[in-house]
Amino acid sequence: MNVLLLGSGGREHALAWKIAASPLLTKLYASPGNPGIGRFAELVKLDIADHSTVAAFCQEKKIDLVVVGPEGPLVAGIADDLRAWGIRVFGPSRAAARLEGSKGFTKDLCAKFNIPTAAYGRFGDLAAAKAYVEKTGAPIVIKADGLAAGKGVTIAMTLEEALAALDACFDGAFGSAGAEVVVEEYLTGEEASFFCLCDGATALRFGTAQDHKRVGDGDTGPNTGGMGAYSPAPVMTPDMTERTMREIIEPTMRGMANLGAPFAGILFAGLMITDQGPKLIEYNTRFGDPECQVLMMRLKDDLLVLLNAAVDGQLAHMSARWSDDAALTVVMAARGYPGTPEKGSVIRGLDEAASDGAEIFHAGTAINGGALVANGGRVLNVTATGTTVGEAQKKAYAAIDRIDWPQGFCRHDIGWRAVDREQTGK
Ligand code: AMP
Ligand code: GLY
């Protein structure tokens, strides 16, 4: 098969690594890709926003499957447009990607199909939103409805913060994504990421993970796209997994089919495990980044076979097998992240760093004058496996110690919650 992978981050590097291991693969192309992906794929420059350019490339290169990494093109309808040209695509339609593209859509789906989630209100004007917030009080959560690159959520611990967040949203802080706002109940518990591979009718469990959103050790500092992750998530016990499938995922699959928008692709549920059980915080309609990196390290089966089955509606006949090992990834970021990261610093020593079995996925790198340089906020994902999260953690940090990149930084406590559990036996 000829495959085209869209995207440029660590998630796409992990997907490329796994797809390249499939005996079904003839040739992998990636656009735009990155230097790490370039080891497995021919990198091509395509204007991904121009769907007919992508379709023409697919026809010319006889692409059998397009795999879409990020949410932007999915919400913009790339899967529908390529399918209209007869091209097979792994990823949800525009209508199904509303699960990520509109928080209000997802909340209404939850209300209609009885899916446990935080109580909420949906508002298109400031006065009504403020009245609701004043009535409910703080803590409360304010969310821009649309895609806001992970920045559209404010956890307001006071009424003043909540009102300020509403002002910012309606003032255009998130552009058109904030023209509508979801205000919701503040949930407490432990968070987990739950993944399913879906074909429109069947949802196949596809692993669990936990990530670390704050930039600093001890979960301090501003939010980021994710500073590290590990899999599996210990909080997702067999019972919690069954409940999540029955109470959240299956009603979502039925609900989307019912609305004429069956979901095919990766359904990524952000969950809060509360004392009443799992509640949906939000959906994403693609793999998490960096969660994908740890999932790919543990997946024993051929990813391309599974993606094909999802595209062909054949998942009811499939299973996915996972290694019993834990996997953990630490994000190395460029100084300045999550503000403005410094670009262009030289990174050395990756081959030596990977010599003890770690996989180093590139998230934001470029080649400049023959040298590997930082070219983004999150730059490398240093990933390892072990019989415990603690062992995977040790191997990942040992690899980081061998990387020569003074301008990079990382958190030093990725996996702390799981390692604590392993040590205390709770
Ligand atoms: P998001 O950018 O939508 O992934 O949300 C960012 C983070 O905000 C989530 O990972 C949660 O930690 C937190 N969050 C979102 N909604 C809620 C909620 N209703 N209650 C508590 N925390 C929330
Ligand atoms: N790491 C969270 C995400 O990909 O949305």
Side-chain angles (χ1 to χ4, degrees), residues 12 59 67 99 106 110-111 125-126 130 142 201 208 225 241 248 256-257 285 322 328 343 354 415:
E12 288 77 21
Q59 290 198 325
V67 178
L99 284 174
T106 298
C110 289
D125 80 277
L126 181 61
K130 282 193 165 173
I142 312 291
T208 62
T241 299
I248 297 178
M256 292 301 284
T285 60
W322 301 89
L328 179 139
K343 285 192 179 174

Side-chain angles (χ1 to χ4, degrees), residues 103 141 143 153 155 184-187 191 213 281-282:
K103 295 188 190 294
V141 181
K143 300 184 172 182
V153 175
I155 312 288
E184 65 180 41
E185 172 199 1
Y186 174 73
L187 298 174
E191 282 186 59
K213 285 236 162 65
I281 297 177
E282 61 163 7

Side-chain angles (χ1 to χ4, degrees), residues 276-398:
Q276 293 137 48
K279 290 195 179 180
L280 180 71
I281 297 177
E282 61 163 7
Y283 274 130
N284 297 303
T285 60
R286 35 97 193 157
F287 278 109
D289 188 348
E291 291 90 335
C292 182
Q293 290 80 318
V294 285
L295 294 182
M296 290 306 110
M297 294 289 276
R298 295 186 54 237
L299 178 63
K300 287 199 207 165
D301 288 305
D302 184 331
L303 179 65
L304 211 37
V305 168
L306 289 161
L307 298 183
N308 275 321
V311 171
D312 296 337
Q314 295 295 316
L315 284 180
H317 314 291
M318 304 291 290
S319 62
R321 290 169 309 149
W322 301 89
S323 162
D324 290 333
D325 280 355
L328 179 139
T329 188
V330 180
V331 171
M332 291 193 78
R335 230 155 35 197
Y337 180 75
T340 309
E342 285 173 28
K343 285 192 179 174
S345 53
V346 176
I347 302 164
R348 295 188 185 85
L350 294 193
D351 288 339
E352 301 87 287
S355 59
D356 202 16
E359 287 294 333
I360 300 176
F361 297 116
H362 293 221
T365 63
I367 302 286
N368 190 357
L372 186 71
V373 298
N375 190 40
R378 294 188 293 172
V379 174
L380 299 171
N381 308 140
V382 183
T383 314
T385 57
T387 52
T388 59
V389 176
E391 191 184 316
Q393 186 195 51
K394 274 205 190 73
K395 280 166 72 179
Y397 282 108

